[in-house]
Amino acid sequence: MTDVPVTFTKERHIKYFLRCLKTFLPSLYTSNDSNRMLLAFFTVAGLDLLGVLQSKTTPEERQGYIDWIYHCQVPTGGFRAFTGTDFGAENRTPENEAWDPANVPSTFFALELLIILGDDLSRVKRKECLKWLPRMQRDNGSFGEVLGPGGKIEGGGDLRFCCFAAGTRYILRGNCGEDVDGIKDIDVDKLAAFVQACQAYDGGMGEAPFCEAHSGHTYCAMGALTFLSRMAKDQKPPPVLTPGASEFESLVRWLVARQTAELGDTEEDSDDDDNSPETNEVLRPVPDTAEEVSLDESLDKLSVISPPTEQDLRCAGFNGRCNKFADTCYSFWNLATLDMMDRLDLVDTSRNRQYLLGKTQHIIGGFGKGVGEPPDLLHSYFGMVALAFQGEEGLDGVDPALCMSHRAVQQLQALPWWKQGI
């Protein structure tokens, strides 16, 4: 089978991320203002992955971004998601601090942003953050999002927060962390047990025990366990990270099975065709008696499903759950997890590349969620990271757990509490 030539349009992607960084985002992002730290991460990390962050921004601009991130730091440790909740340090009291809380995901992304931008984290309230982190852990081992009134853990308790908490611990404790040994740590055993309990019957991970397997939560599960394992080098890894174990092998099978040639709507198809016969069909009353129909006649009335053509099979992206269409971001969730498991060679990378570059890469730069959709920051960054795992020319390599470039990882490992343990 001969692939249609596709090209990674690097210069267009650079222009796309620069527009997102230096001009106003489209109005559809307004409802995500409280997630500004995450949007900042996708934008800055995207330019870093393209290798142009230093050349396309000035030192003054990068320092401005760093200062904005530190403005989001909460005095008692951790980072808020955006500056909109900050009512000023002079007005902050133990009674009202719950209305301007540190946020677990935003703390992780704030730290990563500072590292990518070349900051030495000297202004991070490291000890305060490490003291705050165990307070976010629930009795079942999972983590919440924020501390509410009375120190109550609020927000979701799924694997996303487990991953971000484990990642924050990994960054701030580092390889050595002797200077923070006296600070109470999270309950690592409880966290690992909760994560492993989220593995479903088919091998994938659900958001919580007994939930449907989902690629995004699977990535977060394996990311959390990877962070824990990296810091416990002398301990035996959990079964789901151990090749040969049934938990490991069933997860690999589930992940590989997520690659699909079912891409959903094409550019020529309309998402909602209000003039279709199915939409305008007049509903008829159900008759009092139904005619008996033989099984053969029933089968004859079924729609004919044509077998896939060579063109159909040329592209194969990834979905996040069984019987779903491909989606750009799931190329990341699945490939990153397989990379952490050292099983990336089991997927058809050429067909995934055809899907990403031929179907969801946008003409103005960036990637859309699906075929023919406009680009957005999340899918644009994850589309590039997925290609980076496959060695796409023009992109830096990526650490699958930290989800940032190898160059940025070297910046992290140059920190004092990392160098002592290397």
Side-chain angles (χ1 to χ4, degrees):
M1 184 183 298
T2 304
D3 289 338
V4 175
V6 289
T7 304
F8 178 62
T9 55
K10 180 174 180 177
E11 291 303 318
R12 293 181 182 180
H13 293 296
I14 291 173
K15 291 178 181 179
Y16 171 77
F17 280 101
L18 283 174
R19 281 195 302 271
C20 292
L21 180 66
K22 299 189 177 186
T23 64
F24 290 110
L25 292 175
S27 60
L28 292 175
Y29 285 91
T30 303
S31 60
N32 278 292
D33 193 45
S34 59
N35 288 323
R36 191 173 292 186
M37 191 68 73
L38 177 60
L39 299 178
F41 170 78
F42 288 141
T43 310
V44 173
L47 289 169
D48 179 53
L49 187 60
L50 288 160
V52 297
L53 179 61
Q54 303 295 318
S55 61
K56 296 294 184 179
T57 60
T58 66
E60 293 76 19
E61 287 174 327
R62 293 193 295 277
Q63 187 59 49
Y65 306 147
I66 290 171
D67 291 341
W68 177 83
I69 296 166
Y70 276 115
H71 187 70
C72 292
Q73 185 170 213
V74 172
T76 50
F79 289 77
R80 55 178 71 88
F82 74 136
T83 56
T85 59
D86 181 17
F87 40 77
E90 66 281 359
N91 298 317
R92 189 182 184 88
T93 66
E95 290 73 29
N96 67 21
E97 65 181 6
W99 301 107
D100 178 33
N103 176 297
V104 169
S106 297
T107 299
F108 177 73
F109 288 118
L111 293 172
E112 292 219 322
L113 269 169
L114 291 170
I115 293 165
I116 292 169
L117 288 165
D119 186 67
D120 61 3
L121 304 192
S122 60
R123 287 190 278 167
V124 170
K125 296 182 180 296
R126 182 173 165 232
K127 293 183 178 180
E128 290 86 345
C129 187
L130 288 172
K131 290 177 181 178
W132 161 75
L133 207 56
R135 298 176 62 197
M136 300 302 306
Q137 190 170 20
R138 294 189 170 97
D139 291 338
N140 67 354
S142 69
F143 280 78
E145 185 176 2
V146 297
L147 286 178
K152 182 181 178 181
I153 301 172
E154 304 279 6
D158 57 63
L159 289 169
R160 294 172 299 171
F161 307 105
C162 295
C163 181
F164 297 138
T168 298
R169 172 181 179 265
Y170 175 72
I171 291 173
L172 293 182
R173 283 189 177 268
N175 261 3
C176 186
E178 293 178 353
D179 56 330
V180 294
D181 281 346
I183 296 176
K184 178 184 176 182
D185 198 1
I186 65 172
D187 192 321
V188 172
D189 292 336
K190 274 190 174 182
L191 172 57
F194 175 81
V195 172
Q196 292 175 90
C198 292
Q199 188 166 23
Y201 72 94
D202 53 3
M205 300 284 195
E207 63 179 298
F210 309 112
C211 290
E212 180 187 12
H214 185 284
S215 294
H217 289 292
T218 299
Y219 167 82
C220 291
M222 298 306 288
L225 293 177
T226 297
F227 286 132
L228 297 182
S229 296
R230 287 180 180 180
M231 298 180 68
K233 298 174 182 177
D234 298 331
Q235 294 183 12
K236 183 179 179 181
V240 77
L241 276 177
T242 305
S246 59
E247 294 88 345
F248 180 95
E249 301 302 335
S250 63
L251 176 53
V252 170
R253 286 194 297 271
W254 185 85
L255 289 165
V256 173
R258 302 279 60 76
Q259 189 159 20
T260 176
E262 296 293 335
L263 308 185
D265 294 334
T266 63
E267 291 93 338
E268 292 79 18
D269 294 335
S270 172
D271 292 335
D272 293 298
D273 186 2
D274 293 334
N275 295 318
S276 63
E278 293 80 5
T279 303
N280 295 324
E281 184 177 359
V282 177
L283 296 178
R284 298 173 181 174
V286 178
D288 294 333
T289 59
E291 297 179 7
E292 290 188 9
V293 180
S294 69
L295 179 59
D296 290 339
E297 290 175 329
S298 298
L299 293 175
D300 290 339
K301 293 181 179 180
L302 293 176
S303 301
V304 176
I305 300 177
S306 302
T309 64
E310 181 179 343
Q311 178 68 29
D312 295 332
L313 296 175
R314 183 170 284 120
C315 301
F318 285 81
N319 61 26
R321 291 180 289 156
C322 298
N323 299 317
K324 296 292 184 181
F325 293 130
D327 180 324
T328 297
C329 68
Y330 290 116
S331 288
F332 163 75
W333 300 121
N334 291 288
L335 291 185
T337 307
L338 286 166
D339 195 21
M340 284 186 274
M341 302 175 76
D342 195 26
R343 291 296 184 272
L344 195 57
D345 58 338
L346 294 178
V347 304
D348 192 327
T349 54
S350 63
R351 286 188 173 93
N352 184 54
R353 184 175 185 271
Q354 285 288 136
Y355 166 69
L356 292 172
L357 296 182
K359 295 294 185 180
T360 69
Q361 179 178 232
H362 202 275
I363 192 172
I364 68 167
F367 289 80
K369 172 183 172 67
V371 180
E373 297 196 40
D376 64 77
L377 279 168
L378 182 148
H379 290 94
S380 296
Y381 183 63
F382 284 157
M384 291 199 309
V385 175
L387 290 167
F389 288 137
Q390 300 182 182
E392 186 69 34
E393 186 177 354
L395 294 171
D396 195 357
V398 176
D399 181 289
L402 288 165
C403 193
M404 64 182 182
S405 70
H406 288 155
R407 185 207 62 79
V409 173
Q410 292 173 358
Q411 173 75 16
L412 167 63
Q413 294 174 345
L415 297 174
W417 57 88
W418 277 85
K419 286 193 295 186
Q420 295 172 17
I422 294 178

